[in-house]
Coordinates of all heavy atoms in Angstrom, one line a residue:
T1 N 11.9 -9.3 -16.4 CA 10.7 -8.8 -17.2 C 10.9 -7.5 -17.9 O 10.1 -7.0 -18.6 CB 9.4 -8.7 -16.3 OG1 9.7 -7.7 -15.3 CG2 9.1 -10.0 -15.7
G2 N 12.1 -6.8 -17.6 CA 12.3 -5.5 -18.1 C 11.9 -4.4 -17.3 O 12.0 -3.2 -17.7
C3 N 11.4 -4.6 -16.1 CA 11.1 -3.5 -15.2 C 12.4 -2.7 -14.9 O 13.4 -3.3 -14.8 CB 10.5 -4.0 -13.9 SG 8.8 -4.6 -14.0
E4 N 12.2 -1.4 -14.7 CA 13.3 -0.6 -14.4 C 13.4 -0.2 -13.0 O 14.5 0.2 -12.5 CB 13.3 0.7 -15.3 CG 13.4 0.4 -16.8 CD 13.3 1.6 -17.7 OE1 13.5 2.7 -17.2 OE2 13.0 1.4 -18.9
W5 N 12.3 -0.3 -12.3 CA 12.3 0.2 -10.9 C 11.5 -0.8 -10.0 O 10.4 -1.3 -10.5 CB 11.6 1.5 -10.8 CG 12.2 2.6 -11.6 CD1 11.9 3.0 -12.8 CD2 13.4 3.3 -11.2 NE1 12.7 4.0 -13.3 CE2 13.7 4.2 -12.3 CE3 14.3 3.3 -10.1 CZ2 14.8 5.0 -12.3 CZ3 15.3 4.2 -10.1 CH2 15.6 5.0 -11.2
L6 N 12.0 -1.1 -8.8 CA 11.3 -1.9 -7.9 C 11.1 -1.1 -6.6 O 12.1 -0.7 -6.0 CB 12.0 -3.2 -7.6 CG 11.3 -4.2 -6.7 CD1 10.0 -4.6 -7.2 CD2 12.2 -5.4 -6.4
H7 N 9.9 -0.8 -6.3 CA 9.6 0.1 -5.1 C 9.2 -0.8 -3.9 O 8.7 -1.9 -4.1 CB 8.4 1.0 -5.5 CG 8.6 1.8 -6.7 ND1 9.0 3.1 -6.7 CD2 8.4 1.5 -8.0 CE1 9.0 3.6 -7.9 NE2 8.6 2.6 -8.7
V8 N 9.4 -0.2 -2.8 CA 8.9 -0.9 -1.5 C 8.6 0.3 -0.5 O 9.3 1.3 -0.5 CB 9.9 -1.9 -1.0 CG1 11.2 -1.3 -0.5 CG2 9.2 -2.7 0.1
D9 N 7.6 0.1 0.2 CA 7.4 0.9 1.4 C 7.2 0.0 2.6 O 6.8 -1.2 2.4 CB 6.3 2.0 1.3 CG 4.9 1.4 1.2 OD1 4.7 0.2 1.0 OD2 4.0 2.2 1.2
F10 N 7.5 0.5 3.8 CA 7.5 -0.4 5.0 C 7.5 0.5 6.3 O 7.7 1.7 6.2 CB 8.8 -1.2 5.0 CG 10.0 -0.4 4.7 CD1 10.7 0.3 5.7 CD2 10.5 -0.4 3.4 CE1 11.8 1.0 5.4 CE2 11.6 0.4 3.1 CZ 12.3 1.1 4.1
D11 N 7.2 -0.2 7.4 CA 7.3 0.4 8.7 C 8.7 0.7 9.0 O 9.6 0.0 8.6 CB 6.6 -0.5 9.7 CG 5.1 -0.6 9.6 OD1 4.5 0.3 9.0 OD2 4.6 -1.6 10.0
P12 N 8.9 1.8 9.8 CA 10.3 2.2 10.1 C 11.2 1.1 10.7 O 12.4 1.1 10.4 CB 10.1 3.3 11.2 CG 8.8 3.9 10.8 CD 7.9 2.7 10.4
H13 N 10.7 0.2 11.5 CA 11.5 -0.8 12.1 C 12.1 -1.8 11.1 O 13.1 -2.5 11.4 CB 10.8 -1.6 13.2 CG 9.8 -2.6 12.7 ND1 8.5 -2.2 12.3 CD2 9.8 -3.9 12.5 CE1 7.8 -3.2 11.9 NE2 8.6 -4.3 12.0
L14 N 11.6 -1.8 9.8 CA 12.1 -2.6 8.8 C 13.2 -2.0 7.9 O 13.6 -2.6 6.9 CB 10.9 -3.1 7.9 CG 10.0 -4.0 8.6 CD1 8.7 -4.3 7.8 CD2 10.6 -5.3 9.1
R15 N 13.6 -0.7 8.2 CA 14.6 -0.1 7.4 C 15.9 -0.9 7.3 O 16.4 -1.0 6.2 CB 14.9 1.3 8.1 CG 13.8 2.3 7.9 CD 14.2 3.7 8.6 NE 15.4 4.3 8.0 CZ 15.3 5.2 6.9 NH1 14.1 5.5 6.4 NH2 16.4 5.7 6.4
P16 N 16.4 -1.4 8.4 CA 17.7 -2.2 8.2 C 17.5 -3.4 7.3 O 18.4 -3.7 6.5 CB 18.0 -2.7 9.6 CG 17.3 -1.7 10.5 CD 16.1 -1.3 9.8
F17 N 16.3 -4.1 7.3 CA 16.1 -5.2 6.4 C 16.1 -4.8 5.0 O 16.8 -5.3 4.1 CB 14.8 -5.9 6.8 CG 14.4 -6.9 5.8 CD1 15.1 -8.1 5.7 CD2 13.3 -6.7 4.9 CE1 14.8 -9.1 4.7 CE2 13.0 -7.7 3.9 CZ 13.7 -8.9 3.9
Y18 N 15.3 -3.8 4.6 CA 15.2 -3.4 3.2 C 16.4 -2.6 2.7 O 16.8 -2.8 1.6 CB 13.9 -2.6 3.0 CG 12.7 -3.5 3.0 CD1 11.8 -3.5 4.0 CD2 12.4 -4.4 1.9 CE1 10.6 -4.3 4.0 CE2 11.3 -5.2 1.9 CZ 10.4 -5.2 2.9 OH 9.4 -6.0 2.9
F19 N 16.9 -1.7 3.5 CA 18.1 -0.9 3.1 C 19.4 -1.7 3.2 O 20.2 -1.7 2.2 CB 18.2 0.4 3.8 CG 17.1 1.3 3.6 CD1 16.8 2.3 4.5 CD2 16.3 1.3 2.4 CE1 15.7 3.2 4.2 CE2 15.3 2.2 2.1 CZ 15.0 3.2 3.1
E20 N 19.7 -2.3 4.3 CA 21.0 -3.0 4.5 C 21.0 -4.4 3.9 O 21.9 -4.8 3.1 CB 21.3 -3.0 6.0 CG 21.6 -1.6 6.5 CD 21.6 -1.5 8.0 OE1 21.9 -2.6 8.7 OE2 21.3 -0.4 8.6
A21 N 20.0 -5.2 4.3 CA 20.0 -6.6 3.8 C 19.6 -6.8 2.4 O 20.2 -7.6 1.6 CB 19.1 -7.5 4.7
C22 N 18.7 -6.0 1.9 CA 18.1 -6.2 0.6 C 18.6 -5.2 -0.5 O 18.4 -5.4 -1.7 CB 16.6 -6.2 0.6 SG 15.9 -7.5 1.6
G23 N 19.3 -4.2 -0.1 CA 19.9 -3.3 -1.0 C 19.0 -2.2 -1.6 O 19.4 -1.5 -2.6
F24 N 17.9 -1.9 -1.0 CA 17.0 -0.8 -1.5 C 17.7 0.5 -1.0 O 18.5 0.5 0.0 CB 15.6 -0.9 -0.9 CG 14.8 -1.9 -1.6 CD1 14.8 -3.2 -1.2 CD2 13.9 -1.6 -2.6 CE1 14.0 -4.2 -1.8 CE2 13.1 -2.5 -3.2 CZ 13.2 -3.8 -2.8
T25 N 17.5 1.6 -1.7 CA 18.0 2.9 -1.3 C 16.8 3.8 -0.9 O 15.8 3.7 -1.5 CB 18.8 3.5 -2.5 OG1 18.0 3.6 -3.6 CG2 20.0 2.7 -2.8
P26 N 17.1 4.7 0.0 CA 16.1 5.6 0.4 C 15.7 6.6 -0.7 O 16.6 7.0 -1.5 CB 16.7 6.4 1.6 CG 17.9 5.6 2.0 CD 18.3 4.8 0.8
T27 N 14.4 6.9 -0.8 CA 14.0 7.9 -1.8 C 12.9 8.8 -1.2 O 12.4 8.5 -0.1 CB 13.3 7.2 -3.0 OG1 12.1 6.5 -2.6 CG2 14.2 6.2 -3.7
D28 N 12.7 9.9 -1.8 CA 11.6 10.7 -1.4 C 10.3 10.1 -2.0 O 10.3 9.6 -3.1 CB 11.7 12.1 -2.0 CG 12.8 12.9 -1.3 OD1 13.1 12.6 -0.1 OD2 13.4 13.8 -2.0
A29 N 9.3 10.0 -1.1 CA 8.0 9.5 -1.6 C 6.9 10.2 -0.8 O 7.2 10.8 0.2 CB 8.0 8.0 -1.3
G30 N 5.7 10.0 -1.2 CA 4.6 10.6 -0.5 C 3.5 9.6 -0.3 O 3.4 8.6 -1.0
L31 N 2.6 10.0 0.6 CA 1.5 9.1 0.9 C 0.3 9.9 1.3 O 0.4 10.9 2.1 CB 1.9 8.2 2.0 CG 0.8 7.2 2.5 CD1 0.5 6.1 1.5 CD2 1.3 6.5 3.8
V32 N -0.9 9.6 0.8 CA -2.1 10.2 1.2 C -3.0 9.1 1.8 O -3.4 8.2 1.2 CB -2.9 10.8 0.0 CG1 -4.3 11.3 0.5 CG2 -2.1 12.0 -0.6
P33 N -3.3 9.2 3.1 CA -4.1 8.2 3.7 C -5.5 8.3 3.2 O -6.1 9.4 3.2 CB -4.0 8.4 5.2 CG -3.4 9.8 5.4 CD -2.8 10.1 4.1
L34 N -6.1 7.2 2.8 CA -7.5 7.3 2.2 C -8.5 6.8 3.2 O -9.7 6.9 3.0 CB -7.5 6.5 0.9 CG -6.6 6.9 -0.2 CD1 -6.7 6.0 -1.3 CD2 -6.9 8.4 -0.6

């Protein structure tokens, strides 16, 4: 579709899945709980 970025956030125990298995890279991000 021409998207340039695909973001994901997740619980810490899913780091190996998203980073190792799926190829996402760590980034700085922020969150404000509403």
Side-chain angles (χ1 to χ4, degrees):
T1 65
C3 285
E4 295 178 21
W5 302 99
L6 183 59
H7 306 262
V8 66
D9 67 352
F10 47 82
D11 290 333
H13 73 278
L14 294 172
R15 287 178 66 88
F17 172 70
Y18 284 107
F19 291 157
E20 296 166 23
C22 297
F24 285 84
T25 58
T27 63
D28 289 331
L31 179 69
V32 173
L34 300 175

